[in-house]
Amino acid sequence: MCLAIPALVTAVLADDMATVSLGGVVKTVSVALLDEVAVGDYVLLHVGYALHKISEEEAERTLAMMAEGGLLEAELDEIAGDAA
Amino acid sequence: MKYVEEFRDRALAEKLSAAIRAEADPARSYNFMEFCGGHTHAIFRYGVQDLVPGNVHFVHGPGCPVCILPIRRLDDAIELAERHGVILCSYGDMLRVPGSKRRSLLSVKAQGADVRMVYSTLDALDIARKNPDRQVVFLGIGFETTTPPTALAIRQAADEGLTNFSVFCNHVLTPAAIRHILDAPDIDPEEAVHLDGFLGPSHVSTVIGSRPYEFLSETYRKPVVIAGFEPLDVLQSVLMLIRQVNEGRVEVENQYARVVTREGNTKAQDLVDEIFELRPAFEWRGLGMVARSALAIRPAYAPFDAEARFDLSEKTSREVKSCECPAILRGVKKPKDCKLFGNVCTPDNPMGSCMVSSEGSCAAYWTYRRAETLAEMAKDKAMAEQAA
Ligand code: SF4
């Protein structure tokens, strides 16, 4: 639950929502906690909300390390499993 | 995957490790507390302990929101689901934590209570919209990182006029807990854990900034490095802490500068202020009552406050006997000091909260250091028997 992962904004939607892509999974999230967000931004995603913007370079590096450590799969499973 | 990058990163880890070995003074020992369970997890998962010399010790702090929720509050959540018949929504980690009589949210769900695991407060709001004839309660737990999403859900519910959604608020504050740990030796000398510095919370700091930790250097004279969660982040932060100690500097430094600023996310902070107010005190598992360490929903939003909406009974909640979670959460004991570790208590059959969430100390030892821990336990036992 404490994990926050970098995600790439792929579309900005109405009502402070956006679609993001992380490790190939596309997810609709809230960007209401950010002032401005644009397609191509990397954001730190936590429990369905973008918490902060991050630099692209750092995001890629982090994602690669998480993939290597197997951390990403667990988080992606949790996200994919949320068909509530 | 980008294999080149991975190897570069490995090479960097080796480099950092070599720098730490070169700079750590063999004549002294370095005790650093990582407040966050996320750091504990990273330290074990990537074997960070093996990359630092033996005189650099990690003291695991109480920073796992699942682990520190007192049993009474968990029993309250179970009561909401069982006696009040609400749809209780919770983050997954919470479901398997044993409450009194070893009942968990998962076990009451198996008996028919409507407990649902959600990934986000957005999902909880959706459940409320789709079930207008049922009361839906979101079990709000977590540190400053998880609080803004809860605040937004409450505001959203207010804006939409949802009358069947409320939050059972257990959000807690990290700086107050760290202060409490540092004050503990004054209260009880037995509890004195010598600390040379802190690995500061990373994701929490993306929201509140690094400023709230400045009291640690100013008042308590402890070095702090706000540290990211990746292994390289942790290693680099350890090196920065060692340098502060060696040079006699006491500062708040920010290793996680790619996301953390001194001010944090002010939009999120304002929102949290609008919806929540400070509780005078709140109980933490392991730490007991901690002053000004948690948030309650402001009276203006009382319709969305499960504590105001539902009549929760006074209950006497009981910790599992012999579970050492409370001492482990204070950093004074290790999982090997618990008799139940590995024989009675395992992740499949947890007796205490530290074994449930992957950020808990017992779960980390179980997953990554099981053989060593069990061997140490056997050794300690033999020594105790010999002494007797
Ligand atoms: S091993 Fe189990 S019972 Fe012992 S302290 Fe850890 S969680 Fe509690």
Side-chain angles (χ1 to χ4, degrees), chain B residues 320-326 328 335 338-342 345-346 350-356 362-363:
Chain B
V320 174
K321 237 176 103 195
S322 325
C323 169
E324 296 281 8
C325 282
I328 289 170
C338 175
K339 289 199 295 266
L340 305 182
F341 180 90
C345 180
T346 63
M351 295 289 143
S353 55
C354 296
M355 191 59 99
V356 176
C362 292

Side-chain angles (χ1 to χ4, degrees), chain A residues 41-79:
Chain A
D41 283 348
Y42 267 95
V43 293
L44 193 68
L45 182 68
H46 177 64
V47 297
Y49 292 79
L51 282 185
H52 220 283
K53 283 198 217 173
I54 35 182
S55 84
E56 178 174 351
E57 207 181 302
E58 291 293 351
E60 293 229 348
R61 193 176 72 86
T62 306
L63 278 171
M65 276 198 286
M66 285 180 153
E68 182 191 15
L71 268 181
L72 206 53
E73 287 99 84
E75 182 72 2
L76 289 177
D77 279 354
E78 199 174 322
I79 291 172

Side-chain angles (χ1 to χ4, degrees), chain B residues 227-266:
Chain B
F229 279 141
E230 305 313 322
L232 294 186
D233 293 329
V234 176
L235 282 170
Q236 195 185 356
S237 303
V238 167
L239 183 60
M240 290 164 79
L241 280 171
I242 288 175
R243 283 184 181 156
Q244 283 205 43
V245 173
N246 287 355
E247 293 164 19
R249 275 186 297 123
V250 180
E251 289 167 29
V252 176
E253 291 182 294
N254 182 8
Q255 182 275 336
Y256 197 46
R258 61 184 184 264
V259 209
V260 171
T261 60
R262 183 163 182 263
E263 310 304 324
N265 180 341
T266 49

